[in-house]
Amino acid sequence: MTPPMTQALAEGALGMALLHIERGNLAVARPLLAEAVVGGVSTGSNASLFHGAPALEFVLGRAGRADHSVQTAVDRVVAARLATARRRREAARPPTLAESDLIRGLTGLGALLLARAGSPQPLLQEVLAHLVTLAVPAEAEARVLPGWWASDSPPHEDIAGGHANNGVAHGIAGPLALLSLAARRGVLVEGQTGAIETFTAWLEEFGSFYWITLDLLADEPQQAPPLRPSWCYGDLGIARTLQLAACALGDDARRQKAEELAVTALTDPARLDRVTDASLCHGWAGLLTVTTAIAADSATPDRFAEPIRQTRQKLAAGIAALPKPGFLEGRAGAVLALEGANVTGWTRALLID
């Protein structure tokens, strides 16, 4: 039986409710929230920041509501996911993408825990500690590989030998963003700074690729083709993640390097021509939201003013063409980006800030 999509933050009623909560229009948000839970709320293996009880908690939290029963259910989800990850590590098996990524895994659940009001909880520290273990190299077929080298592949891709995913949505940029944001807020666990350094160094070398395969780890360096500079995958999402890491490390040179990467992506026609819609995930809304955050943390924000203006213009022209109504790939998320407010902290679902 297919789970109801109403409880999906990416596409369902929860995502649409988020727009109205940001606008302060709870009268419109309430029936959408009711629609989201009418078929039940998942606390099973598909529960994540973008689906089920964790998604519901995130949206309620943006309205300043904390439902104890929902948070208790989410805590059980997180504990179960940590236990599964621990058993996998003890068995010396490689991780899957869904174990730790933002959309389905522990990075997304950690983002939710970090967004909770009050003091950091032990579960958040356990999630951060798990993500730190990904910085420990793994060995396979007599080769030393990154600790996040995945046994499975991105959707619709058959990659022999596995891969190291770089994206914010499904790759190591997500854990790096969470570890960096937590550090900036004073939430630290053993090894966190070292893991930030490890993930940063990797993305500085390989972040221009969506993912790295065994072939791309050959001795001869390869030049990445111009790729779409989206939030989910691509130079702009990576640039924001590297900027966050540099801020967490207090490394001004690295911060400037990350910002230069962003400027290059935002001014390269070959990259921008690959942006084909207005969505948050991989379209103009994502570019606008990420660029605005980069500018806010930059010592030279003025150089982002023109890219922001142009991106906003393209976003406004493209919203009506989006066929979906929801948050990540639909009109609700695009409108949130265009309106530009972040009173509720809705961008925390994207690990942008």
Side-chain angles (χ1 to χ4, degrees):
M1 179 177 174
T2 302
M5 290 304 295
T6 52
Q7 59 180 289
L9 175 57
E11 297 300 337
L14 280 177
M16 290 182 280
L18 193 57
L19 169 62
H20 297 291
I21 289 170
E22 177 62 38
R23 288 172 165 175
N25 194 341
L26 297 184
V28 176
R30 285 191 189 98
L32 289 167
L33 291 170
E35 178 186 344
V37 302
V38 70
V41 181
S42 175
T43 57
S45 60
N46 65 346
S48 67
L49 175 61
F50 282 84
H51 189 84
L56 177 61
E57 181 189 331
F58 181 80
V59 175
L60 290 175
R62 300 320 94 211
R65 304 292 195 271
D67 186 292
H68 179 71
S69 62
V70 174
Q71 289 190 342
T72 299
V74 168
D75 288 349
R76 289 198 298 267
V77 169
V78 177
R81 209 64 57 82
L82 285 166
T84 299
R86 191 177 305 115
R87 289 192 294 270
R88 190 271 305 164
R89 293 198 306 271
E90 290 170 351
R93 296 192 307 271
T96 62
L97 290 181
E99 176 182 284
S100 298
D101 75 4
L102 171 61
I103 300 297
R104 298 165 295 174
L106 282 162
T107 294
L109 294 171
L112 170 60
L113 297 177
L114 187 62
R116 281 183 179 176
S119 302
Q121 299 182 359
L123 268 181
L124 172 59
Q125 295 176 319
E126 288 186 47
V127 170
L128 298 177
H130 163 71
L131 297 179
V132 165
T133 68
L134 298 178
V136 179
E139 189 170 326
E141 300 178 5
R143 300 191 66 163
V144 177
L145 298 171
W148 64 95
W149 195 270
S151 58
D152 60 339
S153 303
H156 314 302
E157 290 286 340
D158 182 17
I159 301 179
H163 75 295
N165 201 289
N166 293 335
V168 177
H170 296 294
I172 199 58
L176 176 57
L178 177 60
L179 291 171
S180 301
L181 286 166
R184 292 183 76 182
R185 295 171 195 171
V187 185
L188 291 164
V189 298
E190 185 177 355
Q192 187 167 335
T193 300
I196 291 173
E197 289 272 10
T198 296
F199 301 152
T200 295
W202 173 272
L203 288 175
E204 286 176 337
E205 183 173 1
F206 295 113
S208 56
F209 296 90
Y210 286 172
W211 50 78
I212 293 297
T213 61
L214 290 174
D215 290 340
L216 289 173
L217 280 179
D219 293 336
E220 289 296 323
Q222 300 188 34
Q223 183 68 37
L227 299 172
R228 182 180 61 199
S230 56
W231 163 77
C232 56
Y233 282 102
D235 287 338
L236 199 61
I238 297 295
R240 174 55 175 166
T241 301
L242 290 174
Q243 185 194 38
L244 287 171
C247 290
L249 295 171
D251 191 329
D252 191 57
R254 273 181 157 162
R255 179 185 57 76
Q256 292 180 37
K257 184 177 177 182
E259 292 169 16
E260 289 298 332
L261 177 63
V263 170
T264 299
L266 290 164
T267 55
D268 181 1
R271 287 174 170 81
L272 295 177
D273 285 349
R274 295 176 179 269
V275 182
T276 59
D277 68 37
S279 71
L280 269 177
C281 185
H282 45 257
W284 298 114
L287 268 68
L288 177 60
T289 307
V290 173
T291 306
T292 301
I294 291 173
D297 273 334
S298 174
T300 54
D302 290 349
R303 60 180 171 163
F304 295 99
E306 183 58 20
I308 285 173
R309 187 194 68 79
Q310 293 182 11
T311 303
R312 183 182 298 279
Q313 189 176 54
K314 292 173 181 177
L315 169 58
I319 289 179
L322 288 171
K324 298 178 181 179
F327 174 67
L328 206 52
E329 295 185 345
R331 295 183 297 276
V335 172
L336 275 166
L338 183 64
E339 293 185 352
N342 192 23
V343 176
T344 63
W346 65 267
T347 57
R348 294 180 181 182
L350 307 176
L351 283 179
I352 291 173
D353 53 22

